[in-house]
Amino acid sequence: MAWFKRNRKPIEANADRASRVPEGLWAKCPSCAQILYKKNLVANLSVCPKCAFHFRLSAADRVSSLLDGPWTEHDATLASTDPLDFEDTKPYKARLEAGTASTGLRDAVIVASGHLDGYPAVVAAMEYGFIGGSMGVVVGEKITRGIERAIAERIPVVIVSCSGGARMMEGTLSLMQMAKISAALARLDRAGLPYVSVLTDPTTGGVTASFAMLGDLNIAEPGALIGFAGPRVIEQTIRQKLPEGFQRSEFLLEHGMLDTIVDRRELKATLSRMLRFAGARRDAAPPPGPPPANEPDTTDTETEVDAPEPGPSEAEAPAPAPKGELTEPPPSDQAT
Amino acid sequence: MPLELLEFEEPIGILLKEIEALGLLPKTPEREREIAELRDRVGSIRRDLYANLTPWQRVLVARHPSRPNTLDYVALLFTSFSELHGDRLFADDHAIVCGLAEHHGTPVLVVGHQKGGGDTKEKIFRNFGYAKPEGYRKALRAMRLAEKFRRPIVVLVDTPAAYPGIESEERGVAEAIALNLREMAMLSVPIVVIVSGEGGSGGALGLAIGDRILMQEHAVYSVIPPEGCAAILWRDANRKMEAAAALRIGASDLRDLGVIDEIVPEPEGGAHTDPTAAATLLDEALTRALEELARDSPALRLDRRYDKFRRMGSVGLVENDAEPAAGEG
Ligand SMILES: [Zn+2]
């Protein structure tokens, strides 16, 4: 099996590049309505400095926020053949192309390796901008290869979920990715290697019902929508309004489904402590500078920060809305 | 009780009514002949209908209220069934049944979704086959017993979905399913999965990891119910027929895609027309699968099970080396 590598540019604080973002010099916080200077927002890991609302991060920014310097992306060229020749109101192939055009990715996940605060690790981050972060055969294969790589190199796995669930347009093959990834995680588990699942807004459907809930530690960002069935489906089933805060991170913590909720600005430091507890191998001293949690390391603008933008957004890539309610239903299994 | 007919079976319904009417008249040799002819026509129409089922009609057959359910097959395929109840954590979920049983004299563990045939009361008792977290946890508890005592596991899959309700989420249905996916991958005893009715997304998969995935001819297995898919992608639940076709959820499609290993034929007109014959056909495939798997060592079985799921989806992958056309801003 060939590994296709693509080296990402080293992360450097580059004010010029951040300011080059054509639109969205300013962003409005959907939670507290504060008008934020986007450069400051990005430097704060896309967390509102006033109310700590967590904007959605792109997969590339997420990986950059967790790994120390340059990182290597694996299997970036892996793409879907549209195995069912699926077409609804438009061909699935067109949706794939639109996803690539808006994210620069071939599918809804980046799998990378690098150092997390000095610990060699495989980090996977899902890309909500690519068909709602939905999981089809490419996501399943890339994550599975990432886990197998971690087993071979005896290093930890961190998966950051951000997904509506299994992708409908690849049918039952998408469903089977849940089984495939879980089987690989079983081997990782039996090899005694650590796996931390990070659940971000939203994590639902078949992603929650497989790898997102299988971490040795399951940790979530604050206020994230996390569940199996989508809230609309549940409302239709029980024919009543859902209680406030239902299926949010805090609700899950209270019901015993999460180990902890961590502010994004503390995420890297938290993961580092967890990997130390798990006895992970630490190669290098972390790079000099302030503690990683405070490091403004999301200035890589290769993929734009997913902040609200003026103008229409693609149906497949809805801009984040306050309280995580989707403006468009994602084409994945949770929305039934 | 007369068999409930599906909408597309209406031509059969008309003939059956004619037969019934003739049966009420005094018997004459001529009338008997007429009835026999009508019965033949029912048979040939049914054969034609079932040989050319549309994808949506397959869904209707898989959900047929008279289709044999898990406990029907338990009675027909096994002896000495003793049900095991409860997850030892919260409750006994009636939408999933587990039990010790014997298959041609060999002890096995049977696990399956139970939709509840018969009256509405029974269906409600079974929550229409929508399992809650405690159902999946009960199943795992029972399967660990099978592992401990080295007994094969037979799984029957027939559920619309895991129960989408508040208590399911509160008690972590996603975690319960996820854990089954991971742990079933590591059970060293033979596991034969039979998709016998509706394979409804994660709720089905949560019991459906095994060494052999058999699927009955008219069962379906899908990532989402066609109605839900239509509601999201077409924004119109009435487009369910198109969704059913697009999702490729029938047995022959899924065999071609590598999701299932073997299609188990059903009697003409579907398993519901003759449950005993359906069970006989199923038993042939099940017996063969169990015999084959018993020959392998546990380590080999585990490797093969891993490889089997590892390959799923390969059919849809390609290395695309062209630079993606990244959109600016
Ligand atoms: Zn704010």
Side-chain angles (χ1 to χ4, degrees):
Chain A
M1 197 185 312
W3 297 102
F4 289 82
K5 295 187 181 188
R6 186 168 88 188
N7 285 302
R8 290 261 167 185
K9 293 181 195 74
I11 310 310
E12 53 197 26
N14 186 333
D16 268 6
R17 294 195 57 190
S19 65
R20 247 178 36 209
V21 176
E23 295 138 331
L25 193 57
W26 301 91
K28 185 178 177 184
C29 174
S31 176
C32 72
Q34 179 82 12
I35 305 294
L36 303 164
Y37 189 34
K38 195 153 168 184
K39 201 175 79 174
N40 293 345
L41 181 61
V42 168
N44 202 39
L45 295 179
S46 295
V47 176
C48 173
K50 192 179 171 210
C51 76
F53 174 79
H54 284 50
F55 288 76
R56 201 165 282 144
L57 272 191
S58 73
D61 286 345
R62 174 68 70 178
V63 174
S64 295
S65 77
L66 296 178
L67 293 179
D68 295 339
W71 41 271
T72 305
E73 179 174 359
H74 304 292
D75 305 301
T77 58
L78 210 55
S80 171
T81 62
D82 180 13
L84 305 193
D85 204 7
F86 194 96
E87 183 164 353
D88 47 83
T89 53
K90 60 172 156 173
Y92 172 45
K93 281 196 177 75
R95 292 186 192 274
L96 288 168
E97 282 164 17
T100 297
S102 65
T103 64
L105 303 179
R106 291 273 176 227
D107 215 295
V109 72
I110 290 179
V111 177
S113 56
H115 287 81
L116 192 157
D117 198 23
Y119 295 97
V122 169
V123 173
M126 301 187 83
E127 173 55 65
Y128 196 78
F130 197 105
I131 317 186
S134 55
M135 169 171 62
V137 297
V138 176
V139 168
E141 182 70 16
K142 284 170 81 168
I143 292 180
T144 303
R145 286 188 193 179
I147 295 163
E148 288 173 340
R149 167 181 290 269
I151 294 169
E153 297 181 12
R154 297 207 54 84
I155 59 177
V157 174
V158 175
I159 303 177
V160 184
S161 296
C162 185
S163 170
R167 187 175 297 165
M168 288 186 286
M169 296 81 116
E170 292 180 9
T172 316
L173 291 174
S174 298
L175 186 70
M176 293 302 133
Q177 303 312 303
M178 297 165 63
K180 179 159 111 182
I181 296 172
S182 300
L185 286 174
R187 290 193 161 185
L188 184 85
D189 179 59
R190 301 311 195 265
L193 295 165
Y195 163 43
V196 184
S197 170
V198 180
L199 299 91
T200 74
D201 185 61
T203 298
T204 55
V207 166
T208 316
S210 58
F211 56 89
M213 275 294 162
L214 289 174
D216 294 312
L217 296 158
N218 295 331
I219 67 186
E221 290 193 336
L225 176 73
I226 302 167
F228 180 52
R232 256 182 304 250
V233 185
I234 299 173
E235 276 184 350
Q236 280 165 18
T237 308
I238 63 172
R239 297 177 195 289
Q240 64 189 64
K241 281 300 268 184
L242 295 168
E244 183 69 25
F246 178 68
Q247 292 184 315
R248 295 288 158 190
S249 306
E250 297 72 17
F251 174 93
L252 272 90
L253 184 77
E254 215 41 52
H255 284 89
M257 303 315 299
L258 296 173
D259 289 281
T260 184
I261 296 173
V262 176
D263 186 294
R264 187 179 295 157
R265 292 163 292 187
E266 301 296 329
L267 183 57
K268 186 172 176 178
T270 305
L271 289 170
S272 174
R273 282 196 299 277
M274 290 172 170
L275 296 186
R276 174 173 156 73
F277 177 87
R281 183 181 86 238
R282 198 174 197 182
D283 268 358
N294 302 323
E295 209 170 82
D297 51 2
T298 54
T299 45
D300 179 10
T301 50
E302 245 184 69
T303 309
E304 205 185 314
V305 169
D306 195 1
E309 303 269 333
S313 57
E314 285 289 317
E316 293 76 23
K323 320 231 187 301
E325 287 304 326
L326 302 171
T327 49
E328 298 278 350
S332 41
D333 65 346
Q334 65 86 17
T336 58
Chain B
M1 198 179 73
L3 216 53
E4 215 169 312
L5 288 174
L6 299 169
E7 215 178 312
F8 71 87
E9 292 177 309
E10 205 187 300
I12 297 173
I14 294 165
L15 293 177
L16 288 177
K17 278 208 186 90
E18 261 180 69
I19 292 169
E20 202 187 336
L22 287 173
L24 294 173
L25 299 171
K27 277 186 187 175
T28 70
E30 199 183 332
R31 222 165 255 145
E32 293 290 299
R33 255 199 317 281
E34 208 177 332
I35 290 175
E37 271 170 34
L38 285 170
R39 285 196 196 287
D40 280 354
R41 277 183 60 200
V42 166
S44 83
I45 291 173
R46 186 172 266 151
R47 242 187 324 276
D48 283 357
L49 283 174
Y50 276 77
N52 299 292
L53 289 175
T54 67
W56 175 247
Q57 287 169 348
R58 285 185 182 283
V59 174
L60 295 177
V61 174
R63 292 176 185 168
H64 198 293
S66 311
R67 192 171 174 84
N69 59 47
T70 292
L71 286 177
D72 292 332
Y73 281 125
V74 164
L76 290 164
L77 292 170
F78 305 97
T79 52
S80 316
F81 180 70
S82 335
E83 189 171 352
L84 305 177
H85 296 275
D87 65 349
R88 304 266 173 90
L89 294 163
F90 181 77
D92 183 38
D93 186 2
H94 307 134
I96 288 180
V97 293
C98 305
L100 317 178
E102 293 194 13
H103 182 249
H104 300 301
T106 305
V108 297
L109 179 83
V110 183
V111 177
H113 305 89
Q114 179 61 24
K115 271 185 173 175
D119 59 9
T120 310
K121 211 176 133 194
E122 166 72 4
K123 288 183 168 63
I124 291 170
F125 178 72
R126 299 294 179 183
N127 201 26
F128 302 89
Y130 287 94
K132 294 175 187 172
E134 43 274 21
Y136 296 98
R137 292 182 178 131
K138 169 172 71 176
L140 184 57
R141 179 179 81 80
M143 289 189 287
R144 282 177 167 152
L145 280 182
E147 174 80 0
K148 178 172 178 180
F149 299 114
R150 306 193 183 291
R151 298 303 184 190
I153 300 169
V154 179
V155 180
L156 287 140
V157 173
D158 185 19
T159 180
Y163 181 62
I166 290 181
E167 64 266 45
S168 262
E169 299 287 327
E170 284 178 335
R171 298 198 288 273
V173 69
E175 190 273 348
I177 291 171
L179 196 65
N180 283 14
L181 301 185
R182 190 182 79 185
E183 294 308 306
M184 288 183 82
M186 299 305 267
L187 295 172
S188 68
V189 297
I191 307 176
V192 179
V193 174
I194 301 158
V195 182
S196 58
E198 240 186 320
S201 66
L205 187 67
L207 297 183
I209 308 302
D211 305 295
R212 288 281 193 290
I213 315 295
L214 313 179
M215 185 162 173
Q216 282 189 300
E217 189 181 351
H218 299 309
V220 293
Y221 197 0
S222 182
V223 68
I224 185 169
E227 296 95 324
C229 178
I232 298 167
L233 291 184
W234 279 265
R235 298 178 197 283
D236 178 1
N238 293 321
R239 308 285 290 272
K240 61 199 176 193
M241 294 177 190
E242 286 153 271
L247 286 165
R248 313 248 312 252
I249 57 185
S252 61
D253 275 335
L254 294 174
R255 186 185 49 191
D256 293 347
L257 290 167
V259 171
I260 63 155
D261 298 305
E262 185 178 334
I263 301 172
V264 181
E266 294 183 27
E268 264 167 24
H272 58 284
T273 59
D274 192 345
T276 307
T280 303
L281 291 162
L282 193 50
D283 195 45
E284 188 277 317
L286 174 63
T287 304
R288 186 159 35 78
L290 286 171
E291 280 172 4
E292 283 168 11
L293 293 170
R295 285 185 218 126
D296 297 338
S297 72
L300 182 63
R301 267 197 307 266
L302 282 174
D303 280 347
R304 286 188 175 160
R305 193 184 303 159
Y306 185 86
D307 292 342
K308 166 189 190 56
F309 285 91
R310 183 70 189 79
R311 279 193 303 272
M312 286 194 190
S314 309
V315 64
L317 295 170
V318 67
E319 300 283 356
N320 187 339
D321 285 323
E323 262 305 294
E328 280 301 313

mmCIF file with all atom_site columns, all heavy atoms in Angstrom, chain A residues 29 31-34 48 50-53, ligand 1:
data_model
loop_
_atom_site.group_PDB
_atom_site.id
_atom_site.type_symbol
_atom_site.label_atom_id
_atom_site.label_alt_id
_atom_site.label_comp_id
_atom_site.label_asym_id
_atom_site.label_entity_id
_atom_site.label_seq_id
_atom_site.pdbx_PDB_ins_code
_atom_site.Cartn_x
_atom_site.Cartn_y
_atom_site.Cartn_z
_atom_site.occupancy
_atom_site.B_iso_or_equiv
_atom_site.pdbx_formal_charge
_atom_site.auth_seq_id
_atom_site.auth_comp_id
_atom_site.auth_asym_id
_atom_site.auth_atom_id
_atom_site.pdbx_PDB_model_num
ATOM   1  N  N   . CYS A 1 29 ? -19.747 37.667 15.983 1.00 0.00 ? 29 CYS A N   1
ATOM   2  C  CA  . CYS A 1 29 ? -19.941 36.461 16.796 1.00 0.00 ? 29 CYS A CA  1
ATOM   3  C  C   . CYS A 1 29 ? -21.418 36.102 16.803 1.00 0.00 ? 29 CYS A C   1
ATOM   4  O  O   . CYS A 1 29 ? -22.251 36.914 17.183 1.00 0.00 ? 29 CYS A O   1
ATOM   5  C  CB  . CYS A 1 29 ? -19.449 36.666 18.226 1.00 0.00 ? 29 CYS A CB  1
ATOM   6  S  SG  . CYS A 1 29 ? -19.832 35.252 19.282 1.00 0.00 ? 29 CYS A SG  1
ATOM   7  N  N   . SER A 1 31 ? -22.941 34.263 18.715 1.00 0.00 ? 31 SER A N   1
ATOM   8  C  CA  . SER A 1 31 ? -23.457 34.048 20.065 1.00 0.00 ? 31 SER A CA  1
ATOM   9  C  C   . SER A 1 31 ? -23.681 35.361 20.809 1.00 0.00 ? 31 SER A C   1
ATOM   10 O  O   . SER A 1 31 ? -24.745 35.593 21.369 1.00 0.00 ? 31 SER A O   1
ATOM   11 C  CB  . SER A 1 31 ? -22.508 33.147 20.835 1.00 0.00 ? 31 SER A CB  1
ATOM   12 O  OG  . SER A 1 31 ? -22.927 33.004 22.162 1.00 0.00 ? 31 SER A OG  1
ATOM   13 N  N   . CYS A 1 32 ? -22.662 36.253 20.804 1.00 0.00 ? 32 CYS A N   1
ATOM   14 C  CA  . CYS A 1 32 ? -22.790 37.486 21.585 1.00 0.00 ? 32 CYS A CA  1
ATOM   15 C  C   . CYS A 1 32 ? -22.894 38.718 20.697 1.00 0.00 ? 32 CYS A C   1
ATOM   16 O  O   . CYS A 1 32 ? -22.972 39.843 21.198 1.00 0.00 ? 32 CYS A O   1
ATOM   17 C  CB  . CYS A 1 32 ? -21.625 37.636 22.558 1.00 0.00 ? 32 CYS A CB  1
ATOM   18 S  SG  . CYS A 1 32 ? -20.052 38.035 21.750 1.00 0.00 ? 32 CYS A SG  1
ATOM   19 N  N   . ALA A 1 33 ? -22.895 38.506 19.370 1.00 0.00 ? 33 ALA A N   1
ATOM   20 C  CA  . ALA A 1 33 ? -23.083 39.589 18.401 1.00 0.00 ? 33 ALA A CA  1
ATOM   21 C  C   . ALA A 1 33 ? -21.933 40.585 18.374 1.00 0.00 ? 33 ALA A C   1
ATOM   22 O  O   . ALA A 1 33 ? -22.004 41.608 17.689 1.00 0.00 ? 33 ALA A O   1
ATOM   23 C  CB  . ALA A 1 33 ? -24.416 40.306 18.622 1.00 0.00 ? 33 ALA A CB  1
ATOM   24 N  N   . GLN A 1 34 ? -20.883 40.305 19.098 1.00 0.00 ? 34 GLN A N   1
ATOM   25 C  CA  . GLN A 1 34 ? -19.708 41.181 19.072 1.00 0.00 ? 34 GLN A CA  1
ATOM   26 C  C   . GLN A 1 34 ? -19.099 41.184 17.666 1.00 0.00 ? 34 GLN A C   1
ATOM   27 O  O   . GLN A 1 34 ? -19.016 40.137 17.018 1.00 0.00 ? 34 GLN A O   1
ATOM   28 C  CB  . GLN A 1 34 ? -18.676 40.651 20.089 1.00 0.00 ? 34 GLN A CB  1
ATOM   29 C  CG  . GLN A 1 34 ? -17.387 41.431 20.162 1.00 0.00 ? 34 GLN A CG  1
ATOM   30 C  CD  . GLN A 1 34 ? -17.512 42.672 21.026 1.00 0.00 ? 34 GLN A CD  1
ATOM   31 O  OE1 . GLN A 1 34 ? -18.490 42.854 21.743 1.00 0.00 ? 34 GLN A OE1 1
ATOM   32 N  NE2 . GLN A 1 34 ? -16.524 43.557 20.940 1.00 0.00 ? 34 GLN A NE2 1
ATOM   33 N  N   . CYS A 1 48 ? -14.353 33.166 20.182 1.00 0.00 ? 48 CYS A N   1
ATOM   34 C  CA  . CYS A 1 48 ? -14.717 34.561 20.456 1.00 0.00 ? 48 CYS A CA  1
ATOM   35 C  C   . CYS A 1 48 ? -14.051 35.017 21.755 1.00 0.00 ? 48 CYS A C   1
ATOM   36 O  O   . CYS A 1 48 ? -14.248 34.399 22.805 1.00 0.00 ? 48 CYS A O   1
ATOM   37 C  CB  . CYS A 1 48 ? -16.237 34.704 20.573 1.00 0.00 ? 48 CYS A CB  1
ATOM   38 S  SG  . CYS A 1 48 ? -16.748 36.350 21.102 1.00 0.00 ? 48 CYS A SG  1
ATOM   39 N  N   . LYS A 1 50 ? -14.694 37.429 23.550 1.00 0.00 ? 50 LYS A N   1
ATOM   40 C  CA  . LYS A 1 50 ? -15.636 37.988 24.519 1.00 0.00 ? 50 LYS A CA  1
ATOM   41 C  C   . LYS A 1 50 ? -16.455 36.910 25.234 1.00 0.00 ? 50 LYS A C   1
ATOM   42 O  O   . LYS A 1 50 ? -16.540 36.895 26.459 1.00 0.00 ? 50 LYS A O   1
ATOM   43 C  CB  . LYS A 1 50 ? -16.577 38.975 23.810 1.00 0.00 ? 50 LYS A CB  1
ATOM   44 C  CG  . LYS A 1 50 ? -17.386 39.821 24.781 1.00 0.00 ? 50 LYS A CG  1
ATOM   45 C  CD  . LYS A 1 50 ? -18.279 40.806 24.053 1.00 0.00 ? 50 LYS A CD  1
ATOM   46 C  CE  . LYS A 1 50 ? -19.242 41.481 25.017 1.00 0.00 ? 50 LYS A CE  1
ATOM   47 N  NZ  . LYS A 1 50 ? -20.494 41.855 24.350 1.00 0.00 ? 50 LYS A NZ  1
ATOM   48 N  N   . CYS A 1 51 ? -17.050 36.000 24.460 1.00 0.00 ? 51 CYS A N   1
ATOM   49 C  CA  . CYS A 1 51 ? -17.973 35.031 25.082 1.00 0.00 ? 51 CYS A CA  1
ATOM   50 C  C   . CYS A 1 51 ? -17.501 33.584 24.950 1.00 0.00 ? 51 CYS A C   1
ATOM   51 O  O   . CYS A 1 51 ? -18.190 32.667 25.392 1.00 0.00 ? 51 CYS A O   1
ATOM   52 C  CB  . CYS A 1 51 ? -19.364 35.171 24.480 1.00 0.00 ? 51 CYS A CB  1
ATOM   53 S  SG  . CYS A 1 51 ? -19.514 34.452 22.830 1.00 0.00 ? 51 CYS A SG  1
ATOM   54 N  N   . ALA A 1 52 ? -16.348 33.353 24.323 1.00 0.00 ? 52 ALA A N   1
ATOM   55 C  CA  . ALA A 1 52 ? -15.779 32.002 24.155 1.00 0.00 ? 52 ALA A CA  1
ATOM   56 C  C   . ALA A 1 52 ? -16.599 31.106 23.230 1.00 0.00 ? 52 ALA A C   1
ATOM   57 O  O   . ALA A 1 52 ? -16.478 29.884 23.280 1.00 0.00 ? 52 ALA A O   1
ATOM   58 C  CB  . ALA A 1 52 ? -15.553 31.309 25.498 1.00 0.00 ? 52 ALA A CB  1
ATOM   59 N  N   . PHE A 1 53 ? -17.440 31.706 22.381 1.00 0.00 ? 53 PHE A N   1
ATOM   60 C  CA  . PHE A 1 53 ? -18.106 30.902 21.352 1.00 0.00 ? 53 PHE A CA  1
ATOM   61 C  C   . PHE A 1 53 ? -17.040 30.287 20.447 1.00 0.00 ? 53 PHE A C   1
ATOM   62 O  O   . PHE A 1 53 ? -16.125 30.962 20.007 1.00 0.00 ? 53 PHE A O   1
ATOM   63 C  CB  . PHE A 1 53 ? -19.060 31.774 20.524 1.00 0.00 ? 53 PHE A CB  1
ATOM   64 C  CG  . PHE A 1 53 ? -19.676 31.043 19.361 1.00 0.00 ? 53 PHE A CG  1
ATOM   65 C  CD1 . PHE A 1 53 ? -20.748 30.189 19.548 1.00 0.00 ? 53 PHE A CD1 1
ATOM   66 C  CD2 . PHE A 1 53 ? -19.160 31.192 18.074 1.00 0.00 ? 53 PHE A CD2 1
ATOM   67 C  CE1 . PHE A 1 53 ? -21.315 29.504 18.481 1.00 0.00 ? 53 PHE A CE1 1
ATOM   68 C  CE2 . PHE A 1 53 ? -19.715 30.501 16.993 1.00 0.00 ? 53 PHE A CE2 1
ATOM   69 C  CZ  . PHE A 1 53 ? -20.804 29.663 17.208 1.00 0.00 ? 53 PHE A CZ  1
HETATM 70 ZN ZN  . ZN  C 2 .  ? -18.999 35.974 21.283 1.00 0.00 ? 1  ZN  C ZN  1
#
